[in-house]
């Protein structure tokens, strides 16, 4: 492998640096006021990023941190589609060769868009093959940098830049800083980044039922896995078997609890966003909204909700909307 940059803990200073990097290349995503059950909340439309998800943030901060020699040797990543597109987008802009390890059952639209952005794709079986081993072996063969989807300090800081935007956008509206942020959660990169960005807010990770490793970890005080046979879920972006020490190190200090939502609650949230916000959300991008709509947490104070992604197969989305 390339000479690895020393592992470090993510910091709020790093989040601020990532936010400055993002501001230099992209406008902030909209922060939209919305009423739920008589309470006003604010939704952060990360589904409107150029790649359709917040993952562009961590990818950009990670790849711009590479030195010249590291960029020349390329980057390897693992993703079901959103981190893949973020890495591919950033790599193309920076002139870096990107190889992405993606599950065979990833949504076709995510596979296609990753390839369209110029990345090479290597597929694997999600339930029988170890994606980390595949990626690590590829990185060693190529001498490339392995850009982990969530267990990376630069990626965590990059995702946290969404929280800095929220702070600035609320201030510009004359609104108080967020007291609560609901975050769609897979491995915990976004939740950890937001917790660093907004230390005075309660950050609440939200996961699909059965893929609730972060919830279990917070409840027990140590990292837990979803086990060997988690249930099927439409939330492909959130199918993480367990969080990592670097993420949990932040989460256990700053997040009091996590929330779980059902598949039907996720579909209801997708329909709600389409009807009331005119926004398209993929299932994994709708779980935080689902938690708010079902009253699983209080919405008092200033609550922000991350709509984390919108990369959904058109036919699947049409069926979801039609069902409602």
């Amino acid at each position: 492998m390339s000479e690895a940059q020393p592992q470090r803990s993510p910091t709020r200073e790093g989040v601020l640096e990532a936010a400055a990097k993002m501001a230099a290349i992209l406008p902030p995503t909209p922060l939209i006021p919305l009423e739920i059950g008589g309470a006003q909340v604010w939704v952060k439309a990360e589904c409107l990023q150029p790649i359709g998800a917040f993952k562009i943030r961590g990818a950009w901060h990670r790849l711009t941190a590479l030195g010249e020699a590291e960029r020349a040797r390329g980057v390897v990543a693992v993703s079901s589609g959103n981190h893949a597109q973020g890495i591919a987008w950033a790599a193309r802009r920076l002139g870096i060769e990107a190889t992405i390890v993606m599950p065979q059952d990833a949504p076709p639209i995510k596979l296609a868009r990753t390839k369209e952005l110029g990345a090479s794709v290597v597929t694997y079986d999600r339930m029988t093959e170890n994606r980390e081993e595949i990626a690590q072996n590829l990185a060693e063969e190529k001498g490339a940098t392995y850009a982990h989807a969530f267990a990376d300090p630069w990626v965590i800081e990059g995702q946290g830049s969404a929280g800095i935007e929220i702070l600035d956008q609320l201030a510009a509206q004359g609104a108080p800083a967020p007291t609560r942020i609901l975050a769609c959660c897979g491995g915990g990169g976004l939740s950890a980044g937001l917790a660093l960005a907004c230390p005075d807010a309660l950050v609440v990770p939200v996961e699909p039922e059965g893929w609730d490793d972060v919830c279990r970890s917070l409840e027990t005080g140590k990292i837990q896995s979803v086990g060997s046979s988690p249930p099927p879920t439409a939330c492909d972006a959130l199918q993480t078997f367990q969080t990592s020490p670097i993420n949990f190190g932040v989460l256990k200090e700053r997040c009091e609890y996590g929330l779980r939502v059902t598949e039907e609650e996720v579909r209801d949230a997708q329909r709600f966003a389409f009807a009331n916000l005119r926004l398209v959300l993929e299932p994994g991008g709708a779980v935080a909204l689902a938690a708010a709509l079902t009253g699983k947490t209080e919405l008092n104070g200033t609550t922000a909700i991350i709509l984390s992604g919108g990369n959904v197969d058109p036919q699947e989305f049409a069926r979801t909307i039609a069902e409602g």
Side-chain angles (χ1 to χ4, degrees):
M1 283 182 73
S2 62
E3 64 271 13
Q5 300 190 50
Q7 185 70 319
R8 60 177 180 84
S9 297
T11 65
R12 190 169 194 274
E13 290 71 25
V15 173
L16 291 168
E17 180 186 352
K21 287 183 182 180
M22 292 304 301
I25 63 165
L26 290 171
T29 52
L31 186 69
I32 306 167
L34 175 69
E35 187 172 299
I36 295 178
Q40 180 178 294
V41 300
W42 300 82
V43 295
K44 180 72 165 158
E46 288 293 287
C47 53
L48 297 179
Q49 290 283 11
I51 63 153
F54 74 97
K55 292 283 192 174
I56 197 169
R57 298 176 179 276
W60 185 248
H61 188 45
R62 185 67 187 93
L63 296 198
T64 52
L66 297 179
E68 235 179 86
E70 289 173 311
R71 293 187 188 191
R73 288 191 293 268
V75 63
V76 173
V78 169
S79 171
S80 71
N82 289 338
H83 180 61
Q85 291 175 80
I87 290 290
W89 186 92
R92 184 171 71 172
R93 189 176 179 113
L94 295 169
I96 299 173
E97 180 183 325
T99 303
I100 316 293
V101 179
M102 299 183 68
Q104 294 169 349
D105 62 350
I109 191 170
K110 293 184 178 181
L111 285 161
R113 287 180 175 170
T114 301
K115 294 175 183 177
E116 287 168 8
L117 286 166
S120 299
V121 172
V122 175
T123 58
Y124 74 99
D125 186 302
R126 192 193 298 267
M127 301 306 295
T128 64
E129 293 184 278
N130 187 315
R131 64 183 191 173
E132 305 292 340
E133 286 182 5
I134 295 169
Q136 290 283 7
N137 289 337
L138 282 171
E140 288 173 7
E141 289 171 14
K142 296 172 177 288
T145 295
Y146 180 26
H148 200 283
F150 58 87
D152 181 288
W154 286 271
V155 169
I156 292 169
E157 291 167 350
Q159 319 307 25
S161 65
I164 302 301
E165 287 184 11
I166 290 171
L167 291 172
D168 292 343
Q169 289 169 306
L170 287 173
Q173 293 293 320
T179 54
R180 179 183 291 100
I181 304 176
L182 304 182
C184 307
C185 184
L190 176 61
S191 297
L194 292 169
L196 291 170
C198 303
D200 296 326
L202 172 64
V203 174
V204 182
V206 184
E207 298 172 295
E209 283 191 350
W211 290 89
D212 54 348
D213 55 291
V214 169
C215 285
R216 298 181 196 187
S217 300
L218 290 172
E219 288 163 358
T220 61
K222 59 183 180 180
I223 293 176
Q224 302 289 340
S225 168
V226 297
S228 59
S229 56
T233 179
C235 303
D236 65 278
L238 307 182
Q239 289 180 279
T240 301
F241 284 86
Q242 69 179 49
T243 189
S244 78
I246 191 171
N247 301 85
F248 191 59
V250 176
L251 298 175
K252 69 180 180 181
E253 299 297 329
R254 298 172 181 265
C255 299
E256 294 179 11
Y257 60 89
L259 297 172
R260 303 164 174 90
V261 292
T262 68
E263 297 293 299
E264 187 53 44
E265 287 166 349
V266 169
R267 288 191 289 272
D268 286 343
Q270 289 179 280
R271 290 188 279 265
F272 180 93
F274 187 69
N276 295 278
L277 297 165
R278 275 63 65 188
L279 290 175
V280 172
L281 298 182
E282 63 185 278
V287 296
L289 178 61
L293 291 171
T294 52
K296 296 189 177 186
T297 186
E298 292 181 316
L299 301 177
N300 53 1
T302 304
T303 297
I305 302 168
I306 308 294
L307 310 179
S308 62
N311 292 315
V312 61
D313 178 82
Q315 287 75 28
E316 288 296 326
F317 186 72
R319 278 192 286 272
T320 295
I321 298 304
E323 286 171 3

